[in-house]
């Protein structure tokens, strides 16, 4: 970690807020802001969180779904346990069939909400990073097609690249409403955006 990166992080208001409010990551505020705007997650819902470590989004999802709901978090890295019993963590690669089968098993076949903050490890080579990102997004959409309930909701991180428009057009056929947004807590210099699909219409 460079000195300037550490300095920037320490002065970041969302980093400080996350420390004060005991959230696992500043990313928690992105999901809070997305949920405030789009009412993605409701009390009692099942939520599948792809790319969940260290667990900031799962933590917010657990607060919203309450004891009657369920959150399944998946990451290549270990997700530290939560005190809540209605959280299942999977350590693995969600692009593999083995992990996808595990997700299906743990969420009982279907979920009302799929959220993904997953990002590929970036190389700094723009074209390669865009390709890796679109590959991951395509897998998230494939998983949505398998596990989302009718009228379910999706929120996922995307990086704009050559296939971005095509991907949005595909989603518009599958959801009642599709919105793109950049929550205030997403760093301005980051090219990340969030795509929200509301009201899934299975094929
Ligand atoms: C920005 S972090 C997520 C932060 C999280 N939303 C939070 O609030 O704590 C992105 C995560 O995506 C995960 N990831 C990327 N590709 C993945 C894959 N194929 N399978 C599982 N996790 C993946 C990375 O390991 C990383 O932990």
């Amino acid at each position: 970690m460079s000195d300037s990166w550490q300095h920037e992080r320490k002065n970041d208001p969302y980093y400080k807020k996350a420390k004060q409010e005991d959230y696992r990551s500043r990313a928690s505020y992105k999901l809070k802001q997305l949920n405030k705007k789009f009412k993605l997650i409701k009390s009692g819902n099942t939520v599948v969180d792809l790319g969940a470590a260290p667990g900031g989004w799962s933590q917010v999802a657990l607060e919203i779904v309450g004891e009657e709901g369920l959150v399944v978090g998946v990451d290549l890295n270990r997700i530290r346990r939560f005190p809540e019993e209605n959280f299942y963590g999977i350590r693995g690669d969600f692009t593999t069939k083995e992990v996808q089968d595990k997700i299906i098993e743990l969420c009982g076949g279907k979920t009302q909400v799929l959220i993904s903050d997953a990002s590929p490890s970036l190389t700094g080579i723009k074209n390669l990073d865009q390709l890796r990102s679109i590959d991951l997004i395509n897998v998230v959409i494939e998983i949505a097609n398998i596990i989302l309930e009718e009228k379910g909701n999706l929120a996922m991180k995307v990086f704009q690249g050559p296939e971005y428009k095509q991907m949005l057009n595909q989603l518009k056929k599958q959801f009642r409403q599709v919105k793109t947004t950049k929550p205030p807590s997403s760093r301005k210099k980051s090219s990340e955006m969030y795509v929200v699909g509301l009201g899934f219409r299975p094929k």
Side-chain angles (χ1 to χ4, degrees):
M1 271 180 233
S2 71
D3 286 352
S4 69
W5 188 82
Q6 276 191 339
H7 178 78
E8 196 179 315
R9 190 167 80 152
K10 278 197 179 146
N11 287 301
D12 171 52
Y14 287 105
Y15 174 78
K16 286 186 193 164
K17 203 166 152 66
K19 287 261 168 236
Q20 280 160 5
E21 295 180 352
D22 224 8
Y23 281 109
R24 290 190 181 184
S25 72
R26 72 183 295 293
S28 292
Y29 297 99
K30 298 182 197 171
L31 184 61
K32 276 177 176 275
Q33 289 162 356
L34 288 172
N35 201 56
K36 194 169 175 203
K37 196 164 175 184
F38 299 107
K39 313 267 179 301
L40 288 163
I41 308 170
K42 295 180 188 68
S43 173
N45 277 172
T46 297
V47 177
V48 172
D49 180 8
L50 302 175
W57 276 30
S58 289
Q59 201 175 355
V60 170
L62 278 166
E63 284 173 8
I64 304 169
V65 301
E67 286 177 11
E68 303 295 313
L70 174 73
V71 178
V72 178
V74 189
D75 206 287
L76 295 167
N77 297 317
R78 183 173 162 263
I79 308 163
R80 220 170 1 104
R81 285 178 73 101
F82 285 100
E84 288 88 343
E85 285 180 2
N86 52 340
F87 175 82
Y88 295 138
I90 303 171
R91 186 170 184 178
D93 180 346
F94 65 74
T95 67
T96 63
K97 173 141 186 355
E98 186 195 351
V99 170
Q100 291 172 9
D101 286 346
K102 191 83 191 153
I103 297 171
I104 295 167
E105 182 195 325
L106 290 180
C107 74
K110 290 281 173 196
T111 187
Q112 280 115 22
V113 188
L114 178 66
I115 53 179
S116 169
D117 194 26
S119 24
S121 44
L122 301 175
T123 62
I125 304 164
K126 199 174 165 196
N127 290 351
L128 183 59
D129 288 345
Q130 281 177 347
L131 282 176
R132 284 188 178 180
S133 168
I134 202 81
D135 282 350
L136 212 57
I137 288 160
N138 284 335
V139 176
V140 175
I141 296 172
E142 268 171 41
I143 296 176
N145 273 298
I146 300 168
I147 64 168
L148 260 191
E149 260 185 32
E150 186 169 2
K151 298 187 183 160
N153 298 326
L154 166 74
M156 64 174 177
K157 173 154 74 191
V158 299
F159 293 93
Q160 292 187 44
E163 292 177 52
Y164 180 70
K165 273 205 173 138
Q166 197 186 322
M167 181 267 299
L168 281 184
N169 287 337
Q170 182 194 336
L171 286 179
K172 282 178 186 162
K173 292 183 195 148
Q174 294 175 281
F175 288 86
R176 185 176 45 80
Q177 251 189 307
V178 174
K179 303 273 184 197
T180 56
T181 185
K182 188 167 173 76
S185 52
S186 171
R187 289 190 174 95
K188 285 199 179 64
K189 69 178 184 190
S190 161
S191 61
E192 71 182 15
M193 293 284 294
Y194 288 82
V195 173
V196 171
L198 301 172
F200 181 61
R201 296 190 279 228
K203 281 177 198 155

